[in-house]
Every structure is written in structure tokens, then in C-alpha cells.
């Protein structure tokens, strides 16, 4: 699922998510992908708001142990997608370490990065919408699929405000590891 981020002076407007589908042999996969696309649409407003707060000097980001860039958007998006999918799949493979990510109650945090108070209402609203979408999926219908999440593909450019696009990527694999849909 891709969510392009347009470069703008304020909170960047996002375009509608679009599906990049792989093999889809079952109707339930279409429901899953449609729900994920809708969730990405909900997340887009939050991503745009965080992008609007990112300074050109990269101060809203940090480096992970592997020296890759990590932003508040990475942590919050992955945690919210986990809330969407966790009740319906056996396991989730995410790019970010979730041990220090919290979207349960303010202050919302992703590692050492704390969401400013001005984002709290938006995080709560987005979380509630993602939870409602999760409730629309049939419990256990996707227990044989493993989602792979890259919450902000293009993080380095996102963090430095040098990139015009970032992407929320969600892919699903079968128990044998074969690509199923995304």
C-alpha cells in the first residue's frame, strides 16, 4: 500500500492510498487490502501533521543502532498498523522495535521521540478509526498470513524534508513465505 506525501510548506497534503497488489486469489484478501488501504488513508493525516513538524535539520528524528533514521511517524504508524492487524494474524514483522512505542495513552512516544501535545487529539482520533477498521475484519480470517510493515519507506528523506514522497508499505506472506498481497 502506498501513500505518497506531497511536499508543501505546511502539513503536507497526502494523496489517496493506492493498492499495489500481488497475487490475490481469495475474496477475503480484497477485503483485507481494502481495509489496509483505508487505514493508510486514516494514517495519512497523522503522517502529514508529523511531516509538518519535522525541521530541515532533522531534529525530529534519531538514529537506530544500525545507523538508519527513525522518526516519530515510523513508530506511531507501525504501532497503529499493529493494532489494526494483530487480532487477525498470527504474527507481524515490522521494521521498527516496538518495545518503546506507545499509542495507548498520552504522551505518545516512539523511543526517545515524544509526540507534541498538539498531536494528541489527532493520534487519538486516528487510533480510534484504526481500531474501528480492525473491528470490521473477521477474527482469525487471516491467521495464515504474516504482514510485513515498513511504516515510512523513505524515512531519511522524510526526516530531512528533502523527499517529495514517502510510502507506507504493508505486504502479506503465506506460511511458506511466498508473497500473497500488498
Amino acid at each position: 500500500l502506498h501513500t505518497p506525501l506531497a511536499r508543501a510548506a505546511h502539513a503536507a497534503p497526502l494523496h489517496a492510498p493506492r493498492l499495489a497488489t500481488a497475487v490475490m486469489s481469495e475474496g477475503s484478501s480484497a477485503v483485507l487490502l481494502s481495509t489496509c488501504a483505508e487505514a493508510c488513508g486514516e494514517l495519512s493525516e497523522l503522517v502529514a501533521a508529523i511531516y509538518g513538524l519535522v525541521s530541515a535539520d532533522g531534529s525530529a528524528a534519531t538514529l537506530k543502532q544500525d545507523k538508519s533514521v527513525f522518526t516519530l511517524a515510523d513508530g506511531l504508524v507501525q504501532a497503529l498498523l499493529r493494532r489494526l492487524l494483530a487480532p487477525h494474524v498470527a504474527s507481524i514483522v515490522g521494521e521498527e522495535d516496538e518495545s518503546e512505542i506507545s499509542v495507548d495513552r498520552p504522551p505518545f512516544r516512539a523511543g526517545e521521540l515524544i509526540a507534541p501535545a498538539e498531536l494528541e487529539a489527532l493520534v487519538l482520533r486516528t487510533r480510534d478509526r484504526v481500531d474501528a477498521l480492525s473491528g470490521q475484519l473477521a477474527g482469525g480470517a487471516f491467521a495464515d498470513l504474516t504482514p510485513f510493515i515498513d511504516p515510512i519507506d523513505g524515512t531519511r528523506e522524510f526526516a530531512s524534508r528533502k523527499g517529495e514522497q514517502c510510502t507506507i508499505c504493508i505486504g502479506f506472506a503465506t506460511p511458506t513465505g511466498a508473497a500473497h498481497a500488498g
Side-chain angles (χ1 to χ4, degrees):
L1 300 169
H2 300 279
T3 307
L5 177 62
R7 189 178 176 107
H10 308 113
L14 296 173
H15 303 283
R18 53 193 168 100
L19 296 174
T21 57
V23 180
M24 280 198 345
S25 57
E26 301 174 19
S28 63
S29 293
V31 170
L32 177 62
L33 289 178
S34 176
T35 302
C36 286
E38 193 171 343
C40 286
E42 296 294 344
L43 291 165
S44 294
E45 183 181 356
L46 178 60
V47 171
I50 295 169
Y51 186 77
L53 297 174
V54 172
S55 62
D57 66 3
S59 63
T62 189
L63 291 178
K64 297 187 287 188
Q65 284 186 336
D66 67 1
K67 303 297 183 210
S68 61
V69 178
F70 176 76
T71 68
L72 181 62
D74 287 294
L76 297 183
V77 167
Q78 182 167 306
L80 291 166
L81 287 173
R82 178 172 286 282
R83 287 177 72 99
L84 172 75
L85 297 169
H88 311 287
V89 299
S91 64
I92 297 173
V93 177
E95 185 173 88
E96 309 306 340
D97 174 12
E98 292 192 40
S99 64
E100 295 183 20
I101 298 174
S102 172
V103 293
D104 292 330
R105 64 187 161 284
F108 302 110
R109 68 182 325 110
E112 63 191 51
L113 303 172
I114 298 173
E118 65 196 76
L119 287 182
E120 287 180 4
L122 179 57
V123 174
L124 288 168
R125 186 170 61 248
T126 304
R127 186 193 66 199
D128 291 346
R129 289 175 179 164
V130 167
D131 287 349
L133 288 169
S134 180
Q136 294 175 11
L137 294 172
F142 311 105
D144 62 333
L145 296 178
T146 299
F148 287 77
I149 299 171
D150 183 351
I152 302 292
D153 186 30
T155 300
R156 184 170 305 279
E157 292 77 13
F158 181 91
S160 63
R161 291 188 61 94
K162 293 180 182 174
E164 293 186 9
Q165 297 192 10
C166 70
T167 306
I168 297 171
C169 298
I170 307 169
F172 295 89
T174 66
T176 62
H180 178 73

